[in-house]
């Protein structure tokens, strides 16, 4: 286990680069993205951001780009080879909250608030940096989280009112609405094989088998305080949740059975991510980042 220190405020985002050598993080009200060299354990770069608090970060699948989204809806694309960034894109009228590349890296989705604080997701063509579509629906809470299905055909979006929308990216229309998630700002994730969709719900999480999405399964246990984040292992065999009780719990997503639990005594946890090889993971608390070996 290693601890990375230097942030102030709660960790908002953790993201491994596709080659597993760099960990990107944002915390508190910071306007920068920290890039940690995982061989040395030191921040190798701090990317200055032109706008407001950075809320979301995502690496492109080939590792050439880093996207960052701030509270004001400013979306920046950084070329990691040169360290340069073009003119920021405008991702939302009221604010940006979540971000993600499609599996092929050709699309970038940015979510936040739209008219009347409704759902608002902009889809951008990455190569041309042109807007492809605007997805809007619902009237409450905006988009708090999003995730592309592994085959790239669907975009799942989660709202603070407890609603999940599944968008068909061939038509840019909602193909399914799911209303079985607790209110808040649910984090969501697809399993790498696309079989499961999971969402944070209260002190635990809910898992849907996409073959029978009308039958949600709540995990067979819970944290001692609100769950804040979740992630699947790269092989899809395990689901991990991080909670405000300071624990990380590992689950079997098929049965909902708890497999293991970790508590490093650093207080509340807010973010969790897996390295691409599945051998390591990171969890973020109120300033500190924990790195651990899954074996």
């Amino acid at each position: 286990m290693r601890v990375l220190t230097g942030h102030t405020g709660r960790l908002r985002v953790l993201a491994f680069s596709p080659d597993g050598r760099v960990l990107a993080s944002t915390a508190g009200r910071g306007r920068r993205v920290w890039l940690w060299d995982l061989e040395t354990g030191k921040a190798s770069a701090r990317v200055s951001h032109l706008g407001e608090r950075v809320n979301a970060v995502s690496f492109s699948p080939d590792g050439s780009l880093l996207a960052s989204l701030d509270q004001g809806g400013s979306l920046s694309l950084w070329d990691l080879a040169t360290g340069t960034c073009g003119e920021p894109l405008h991702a939302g009228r009221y604010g940006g909250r979540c971000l993600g590349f499609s599996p092929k890296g050709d699309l970038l989705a940015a979510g936040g608030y739209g008219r009347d604080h409704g759902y608002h997701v902009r889809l951008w063509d990455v190569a041309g940096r042109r807007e492809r579509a605007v997805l809007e629906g619902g009237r409450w809470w905006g988009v708090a989280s999003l995730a592309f299905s592994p085959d790239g055909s669907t975009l799942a979006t989660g709202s603070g009112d407890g609603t999940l929308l599944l968008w068909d990216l061939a038509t840019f229309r909602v193909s399914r609405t799911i209303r079985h998630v607790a209110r808040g700002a649910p984090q969501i994730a697809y399993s790498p094989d696309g079989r499961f969709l999971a969402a944070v719900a209260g002190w635990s999480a809910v898992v849907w088998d996409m073959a029978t999405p009308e039958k949600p399964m709540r995990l067979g246990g819970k944290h001692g305080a609100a769950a804040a984040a979740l992630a699947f292992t790269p092989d899809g065999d395990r689901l991990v949740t991080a909670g405000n009780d300071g624990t990380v719990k590992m689950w079997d997503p098929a049965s909902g059975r708890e497999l293991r639990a970790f508590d490093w005594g650093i207080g509340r946890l807010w973010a969790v991510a897996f390295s691409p090889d599945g051998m390591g993971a990171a969890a973020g608390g109120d300033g500190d980042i924990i790195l651990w070996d899954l074996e």
Side-chain angles (χ1 to χ4, degrees):
M1 184 192 77
R2 288 193 294 164
V3 181
L4 304 179
T5 61
H7 277 302
T8 57
R10 76 181 194 184
L11 267 293
R12 293 186 174 277
V13 182
L14 293 173
F16 282 94
S17 62
D19 63 9
R21 296 179 179 179
V22 175
L23 181 68
S25 63
T26 67
R29 302 189 62 82
R31 299 183 180 185
R32 296 174 294 186
V33 179
W34 292 36
L35 301 178
W36 299 87
D37 182 330
L38 295 180
E39 289 189 2
T40 64
K42 297 181 179 180
S44 57
R46 299 179 184 182
V47 181
S48 297
H49 205 274
L50 301 177
E52 303 177 26
R53 181 184 75 195
V54 179
N55 282 341
V57 172
S58 181
F59 285 98
S60 63
D62 65 2
S64 66
L65 298 173
L66 178 71
S68 59
L69 179 65
D70 75 11
Q71 178 73 14
S74 177
L75 171 59
S76 298
L77 282 175
W78 299 88
D79 184 322
L80 292 177
T82 64
T84 59
C85 175
E87 187 70 19
L89 306 173
H90 187 59
R93 181 178 177 187
Y94 295 104
R97 303 179 71 184
C98 51
L99 182 69
F101 282 93
S102 64
K104 293 182 180 180
D106 57 331
L107 293 177
L108 180 62
Y113 292 110
R115 292 190 299 269
D116 299 322
H117 283 204
Y119 288 82
H120 187 89
V121 178
R122 290 184 184 268
L123 288 170
W124 302 87
D125 174 79
V126 174
R129 300 199 178 196
R130 294 187 300 269
E131 186 180 287
R132 285 280 303 278
V134 178
L135 311 180
E136 291 185 295
R139 292 179 57 84
W140 305 106
W141 294 88
V143 176
S145 58
L146 56 80
F148 283 93
S149 63
D151 65 4
S153 66
T154 302
L155 178 69
T157 60
S159 170
D161 68 355
T163 301
L164 303 184
L165 297 183
L166 304 186
W167 299 86
D168 182 338
L169 294 181
T171 63
F172 301 121
R173 295 185 177 181
V174 175
S175 60
R176 182 181 293 274
T177 300
I178 300 174
R179 304 182 186 279
H180 299 288
V181 184
R183 289 179 181 268
Q187 292 295 305
I188 58 177
Y190 274 100
S191 61
D193 61 3
R195 177 183 175 186
F196 299 111
L197 177 65
V200 169
W203 291 14
S204 185
V206 175
V207 178
W208 291 266
D209 187 320
M210 299 312 291
T212 56
E214 67 278 1
K215 299 178 181 179
M217 176 189 66
R218 184 173 288 272
L219 297 179
K222 62 182 181 179
H223 288 272
L230 52 72
F232 282 94
T233 55
D235 61 11
D237 287 345
R238 290 165 288 178
L239 174 67
V240 164
T241 57
N244 287 172
D245 61 350
T247 66
V248 166
K249 291 182 179 289
M250 187 174 291
W251 312 84
D252 175 1
S255 67
R257 181 171 59 92
E258 183 178 329
L259 302 175
R260 298 181 68 183
F262 308 89
D263 185 349
W264 298 283
I266 68 167
R268 299 177 298 178
L269 297 178
W270 299 98
V272 65
F274 284 103
S275 61
D277 63 7
M279 300 300 293
D286 288 320
D288 292 337
I289 301 171
I290 300 292
L291 299 174
W292 81 96
D293 187 331
L294 289 181
E295 299 301 321

